[in-house]
Amino acid sequence: MKMSKGQLSAWLLGLAVAGMTLVWGGSASAESGQPAPWEYKLQEAATPVMENITWFHGLLLTIITIITLFVLALLIAVVVKFNARANPVPSQTTHNTLIEVAWTLIPVLILVMIAVPSFRLLFLELDVPNADLTIKATGKQWYWSYAYPDNGKFEFDSLMAQDKKPRLLAVDNEMVVPVNKVVRVQTTGADVIHSWAIPSFGVKIDAIPGRLNETWFKATKVGMYYGQCSELCGKDHAYMPIAVRVVSDQEFTAWVEDAKKKYASAPTSSYASAAGLSQ
Ligand SMILES: [Cu+2]
């Protein structure tokens, strides 16, 4: 098969367009907040942070694709134009100042172009804005406990529910938060290191014994959002999912009133009782 230069560039262009369609194309999952069959992309964003992560991921994939296709085109050009048959007398050239300066400077410029949005995203993730409420998530072998210090100081355990869907993600008592509110999440571990993570929120933070980590999210859509413990923590690491139910303000207030009664008799966290801090 012999390809003309025009055919080859048309073919490469087609490949690039197909790649970009995959990267920037429509949503893969019908239901947000959980994984979908054959999903190859990031879950649909439910917070501003995750929207930024998705955008940055798309940018990087675009840059990588263009660079890879460019290198592939150069390789093909070398193979076609400079093989022994097509080019029996090789050139003796060893240096070309212009090209050497270009292949140093252009990669530097590309890296700077990546660094600017990268640092902006890091600051967005790390800088917790003024929070509307704080929730403390304690990782335990093998479930999570959630405390609401701003809403009545109750605490409850959240265990995987065997009989509920989605399988391995549903829990008995979900963490409940109001929509469009900045939620500060503080994490700690009661026994070993766990990690509190929700893909569609763009949040993943270690829960470390003896330490208090914090992160934040602002869910912009009501619904159910699922995640999993993301630090290998022992035998049942795969069976301590995280489920967050995002509701309207009124529903949240009603839920808090309910929860205060429902969890009134729940034991306080092991830390609070060990330190004599129980309310
Ligand atoms: Cu864990």
Side-chain angles (χ1 to χ4, degrees), residues 11-141:
W11 185 75
L12 285 175
L13 192 71
L15 206 63
V17 170
M20 292 307 99
T21 316
L22 284 179
V23 175
W24 295 103
S27 162
S29 64
E31 200 153 358
S32 65
Q34 58 177 282
W38 294 99
E39 192 172 44
Y40 62 90
K41 295 199 293 189
L42 301 169
Q43 282 183 29
E44 199 185 313
T47 64
V49 166
M50 190 56 200
E51 274 164 27
N52 276 274
I53 293 175
T54 307
W55 177 85
F56 188 54
H57 168 75
L59 174 76
L60 290 185
L61 214 48
T62 306
I63 293 174
I64 284 175
T65 309
I66 293 170
I67 291 174
T68 310
L69 289 178
F70 175 65
V71 173
L72 178 68
L74 289 181
L75 281 174
I76 292 173
V78 167
V79 169
V80 172
K81 283 176 73 178
F82 299 107
N83 65 64
R85 219 175 323 136
N87 188 43
V89 188
S91 149
Q92 299 292 310
T93 312
T94 54
H95 288 289
N96 184 315
T97 310
L98 182 69
I99 287 180
E100 283 163 25
V101 169
W103 78 38
T104 308
L105 272 185
I106 293 170
V108 168
L109 290 178
I110 293 173
L111 288 181
V112 170
M113 218 173 82
I114 292 173
V116 172
S118 169
F119 283 120
R120 211 170 44 203
L121 179 56
L122 264 183
F123 283 119
L124 180 69
E125 290 170 357
L126 291 177
D127 203 11
V128 182
N130 278 338
D132 294 303
L133 76 149
T134 300
I135 297 173
K136 187 179 163 200
T138 307
K140 296 172 182 171
Q141 281 174 319

Side-chain angles (χ1 to χ4, degrees), residues 194 229 231 233 237 240:
H194 301 267
C229 176
E231 178 65 63
C233 59
H237 164 63
M240 51 179 295

Side-chain angles (χ1 to χ4, degrees), residues 221-251:
K221 284 172 247 173
V222 298
M224 279 301 310
Y225 300 91
Y226 297 97
Q228 289 172 304
C229 176
S230 298
E231 178 65 63
L232 193 52
C233 59
K235 177 173 81 73
D236 286 348
H237 164 63
Y239 309 108
M240 51 179 295
I242 297 150
V244 179
R245 183 147 49 95
V246 179
V247 299
S248 68
D249 275 349
Q250 300 93 301
E251 282 175 279

Side-chain angles (χ1 to χ4, degrees), residues 3 16 38 44 49 54 65 97 102 142 149 168 179 182 184 187 215 243 275:
M3 249 194 214
W38 294 99
E44 199 185 313
V49 166
T54 307
T65 309
T97 310
W142 286 273
L168 301 181
V179 70
V182 174
R184 173 176 27 219
T187 62
T215 184

